[in-house]
Amino acid sequence: MFSEELRYLLRGEPVITVLTGAGISAESGVPTFRGEDGIWKKLKPEELANFDAFLKNPALVWEWYHHRQNLIKNIEPNRGHYALAELETIYKRFYLITQNIDNLHIRAGSKNPIELHGNIMRNRCIKCGALSYEVELLKEVSIPECSICNGMLRPDVVWFGEMLPPQSLKEANRAMQESTIFFSIGTSAQVQPAASMPIWAKNYGAYLVEINIEETLLTPYVDEFIKGKSGEILPVLLKEITSFKSK
Ligand code: OAD
């Protein structure tokens, strides 16, 4: 399943960066964005996932996000998430960058994911910027308020037309420059800047591996394409790594 070159690199002291997209959570039951059942096939992002829409009708946007928070709260990380959390404990230098907002990497035990698009379980005050978490919000029915300044809370996710969190970009940039192996997992590689990160990492010298159930726009540029579900492939990869690391 894995090339000799990848095995060789994994045996050494690689700096590993993993970029994940919606595909890694598909086996947990979170819908992807662009597949057959993708969210954007059913909903218009311009009506729900942008700041103007929020200001126009915050209750509607919150209704949708409460619904999604509840859905996500009731699903579990899958074997792919757990395998990545485990890999992080094996390699000293390991970066996890995710486009997902579903919090599943953290729930699986990943310590420090670089969240490019925010986290749906976190909320941010539009007035003072204070962050708060889901617990107190899930009980609310209307528009939640900041407990510090009474400003309106919004989900701490990146909407269309918004900048990515500068700190996350800075950390991702560092990961791209330092990595010697870069895995792109479960992303269609269509949304920038994440879509270009694997290529940048490759240009900086990383060995580029893609894991996906189908080929993507990135596939022609990768060193190795592993076709299949991340929840099946990553545990096999982890098993191989633990077997040679324990020798
Ligand atoms: P997409 O829905 O565009 O792509 C999901 C990818 O996962 C596809 O390439 C699938 O083939 C693949 N896939 C599905 N199931 C898989 C599995 N079990 N194992 C491995 N791969 C699988 O999702 P993203 O690329 O993550 O942004 O989308 C990027 C961004 O677009 C999202 O973060 C979101 C959206 O607009 C924001 O909300 C800001």
Side-chain angles (χ1 to χ4, degrees):
M1 189 186 272
F2 313 111
S3 72
E4 273 316 310
E5 181 155 11
L6 179 58
R7 286 201 175 94
Y8 172 79
L9 290 170
L10 288 165
R11 275 197 172 87
E13 294 290 334
V15 181
I16 298 180
T17 298
V18 175
L19 169 71
T20 63
I24 195 156
S25 297
E27 289 156 83
S28 294
V30 183
T32 58
F33 291 91
R34 295 178 184 76
E36 273 309 299
D37 299 324
I39 293 172
W40 298 152
K41 284 242 160 90
K42 295 177 191 135
L43 289 164
K44 292 195 184 109
E46 61 272 22
E47 280 172 14
L48 291 166
N50 78 70
F51 192 61
D52 286 342
F54 178 68
L55 288 181
K56 220 187 275 169
N57 196 346
L60 173 73
V61 174
W62 262 116
E63 193 186 325
W64 189 52
Y65 275 92
H66 275 310
H67 170 68
R68 290 184 66 199
Q69 285 178 338
N70 276 320
L71 284 182
I72 283 168
K73 214 181 158 213
N74 289 317
I75 53 151
E76 298 300 325
N78 65 55
R79 295 173 72 213
H81 297 107
Y82 286 115
L84 289 179
E86 188 79 26
L87 276 184
E88 184 176 295
T89 66
I90 296 174
Y91 289 103
K92 273 197 248 90
R93 297 180 69 196
F94 185 94
Y95 298 100
L96 174 60
I97 306 173
T98 187
Q99 297 167 86
N100 299 344
I101 58 172
D102 58 26
N103 202 37
L104 291 181
H105 284 303
I106 290 176
R107 283 176 59 200
S110 289
K111 292 283 177 289
N112 232 344
I114 302 168
E115 295 175 322
L116 292 178
H117 294 164
N119 186 319
I120 197 172
M121 290 308 189
R122 202 169 50 223
N123 306 288
R124 176 158 44 92
C125 173
I126 65 167
K127 209 161 139 198
C128 75
L131 298 174
S132 54
Y133 289 83
E134 39 122 9
V135 239
E136 74 259 39
L137 287 164
L138 286 170
K139 294 192 194 93
E140 307 247 353
V141 279
S142 58
I143 305 153
E145 276 182 3
C146 175
S147 58
I148 299 167
C149 75
N150 295 339
M152 195 156 56
L153 290 182
R154 58 164 285 176
D156 191 23
V157 297
V158 174
W159 282 330
F160 286 90
E162 293 185 324
M163 299 285 288
L164 267 57
Q167 184 59 24
S168 303
L169 276 179
K170 202 170 145 194
E171 289 169 19
N173 202 27
R174 196 171 125 205
M176 278 184 282
Q177 294 189 36
E178 291 180 5
S179 50
T180 55
I181 311 178
F182 191 103
F183 288 92
S184 176
I185 304 177
T187 173
S188 63
Q190 289 185 47
V191 175
Q192 298 293 354
S196 295
M197 289 180 180
I199 303 288
W200 288 333
K202 187 179 159 95
N203 289 342
Y204 283 121
Y207 185 78
L208 180 54
V209 184
E210 181 178 35
I211 301 176
N212 201 303
I213 52 169
E214 60 188 24
E215 294 193 2
T216 68
L217 295 174
L218 178 69
T219 315
Y221 307 98
V222 303
D223 295 300
E224 189 160 338
F225 177 69
I226 303 170
K227 186 172 180 164
K229 293 183 175 176
S230 45
E232 291 170 6
I233 289 166
L234 289 171
V236 179
L237 182 71
L238 174 67
K239 204 169 159 201
E240 280 221 21
I241 292 169
T242 22
S243 72
F244 60 63
K245 282 280 173 191
S246 60
K247 276 179 196 156

